[in-house]
Amino acid sequence: ERLQQSLVLLKDRGQRTVARLTVVKGWNSDEVSGYAKLIALGKVSLVEVKGVTFCGKSDASNLNMSNTPWHHEVINLVKELKVELDKLREAGGPDAPPEYDFACEHKHSVSVLLARVDQFTDTAADGSRIWKTWINYPKFQKLVAKHAADPTFTFSVKDYAEVTPSWALFGAAEEGFDPVETRHRRQNRHPKYTKFDEQGVPTHDDNNNQISEKERTRLRSMMDKRIAEIGAGTTVTAMKSGEMLITDASLMFRGKTVVK
């Protein structure tokens, strides 16, 4: 109840507000409808959805590596969340949320950002959408100083919004990684496969070259064998230790690496 009251207060803040959801696979990844209702209460500016980071075994936690979702799984969950938010918006009423859409992603952090369309977008001359989720900090500081000198002066989210860099946009080839930075891979390890089909079977190798149909058939056969062993879809097994062990045949080829 206190959480709900706090969220209701957020909608009248007048500045940027954020709801951050940490996805723990097997624990809270199937409660999308409930999260949408909470977000609607606060009508927050931004919704950041991030996969939990496993930091090693601890007596204070029952989590294990299988509870950490892959980036594509977080994207799919956010798609479901957006559907639920759209349903609430179309239903109308005082608690109906504003329109949200995919603004940014950062694959390295396994995170996706939904943003309010009314607060963070402009329309280009060609009709396309321009996202403005960045902050113009010099302008923000001036606005804050002006408010401090004259408390009757107010400003809003859009007054200090800055255009989002192309590399940070959802769907960008850089996947949220700033091109001016250098990415370091541990022990020169690179993903063995770079692209997958809807079933999780690799389609492109470590050089981003398309895999031959013969090799894809072999990999698909390996997955079919694994599905026959553990079943299709995600299986959650409660261990005696309290851990939730997640198994999913569609993930068997992800995470494999090669040394270059």
Side-chain angles (χ1 to χ4, degrees):
E1 185 178 343
R2 292 177 63 186
L3 171 62
Q4 292 178 344
Q5 291 175 349
S6 297
L7 287 169
V8 170
L9 292 174
L10 286 180
K11 66 182 180 181
D12 297 320
R13 290 292 298 171
Q15 298 300 328
R16 288 184 174 218
T17 54
V18 183
R20 188 172 190 266
L21 310 180
T22 300
V23 182
V24 184
K25 192 173 179 181
W27 289 83
N28 66 351
S29 54
D30 58 351
E31 302 171 354
V32 177
S33 177
Y35 286 128
K37 293 176 182 177
L38 290 175
I39 292 167
L41 288 177
K43 296 179 173 57
V44 294
S45 303
L46 304 162
V47 181
E48 181 192 11
V49 184
K50 185 184 185 307
V52 68
T53 299
F54 178 64
C55 299
K57 184 63 180 173
S58 168
D59 292 337
S61 171
N62 291 327
L63 299 183
N64 57 64
M65 193 62 189
S66 71
N67 297 126
T68 300
W70 289 85
H71 187 60
H72 75 281
E73 294 179 300
V74 173
I75 289 176
N76 289 337
L77 185 144
V78 178
K79 287 180 178 178
E80 295 177 16
L81 178 62
K82 184 182 180 313
V83 168
E84 294 300 322
L85 287 167
D86 287 342
K87 288 180 181 177
L88 294 174
R89 179 169 56 86
E90 292 167 2
D95 293 330
E99 181 183 2
Y100 292 92
D101 207 350
F102 285 82
C104 304
E105 67 176 320
H106 192 265
K107 186 176 182 180
H108 190 63
S109 300
V110 197
S111 61
V112 178
L113 185 73
L114 288 179
R116 284 179 55 160
V117 173
D118 63 328
Q119 290 183 337
F120 296 104
T121 65
D122 281 339
T123 303
D126 61 0
S128 61
R129 179 177 289 171
I130 300 174
W131 280 105
K132 303 179 71 174
T133 57
W134 250 230
I135 296 175
N136 184 326
Y137 282 102
K139 189 172 183 179
F140 175 73
Q141 294 297 341
K142 289 181 180 178
L143 292 168
V144 171
K146 188 173 181 179
H147 173 72
D150 178 9
T152 63
F153 171 75
T154 60
F155 59 98
S156 67
V157 173
K158 300 195 74 169
D159 292 327
Y160 53 92
E162 186 75 15
V163 174
T164 308
S166 60
W167 53 264
L169 294 172
F170 181 80
E174 297 87 350
E175 297 177 313
F177 197 90
D178 190 339
V180 303
E181 298 179 351
T182 301
R183 184 169 186 174
H184 297 278
R185 295 184 182 275
R186 186 174 59 184
Q187 298 178 348
N188 296 319
R189 291 187 178 275
H190 294 254
K192 186 174 183 179
Y193 304 110
T194 54
K195 293 182 181 180
F196 305 81
D197 64 16
E198 293 182 355
Q199 285 72 45
V201 177
T203 60
H204 290 69
D205 63 16
D206 57 298
N207 293 313
N208 205 31
N209 295 322
Q210 190 167 353
I211 297 174
S212 68
E213 186 58 39
K214 181 179 179 181
E215 176 63 7
R216 288 185 63 190
T217 299
R218 185 184 74 84
L219 296 172
R220 190 177 295 109
S221 178
M222 292 173 61
M223 180 174 287
D224 289 341
K225 182 178 179 180
R226 182 61 174 158
I227 290 175
E229 293 173 350
I230 66 174
T234 301
T235 301
V236 181
T237 304
M239 310 298 287
K240 290 183 179 180
S241 61
E243 294 183 39
M244 296 293 185
L245 183 64
I246 315 299
T247 52
D248 189 335
S250 71
L251 304 176
M252 64 181 291
F253 295 114
R254 296 181 184 268
K256 292 184 178 297
T257 60
V258 294
V259 177
K260 292 186 178 182

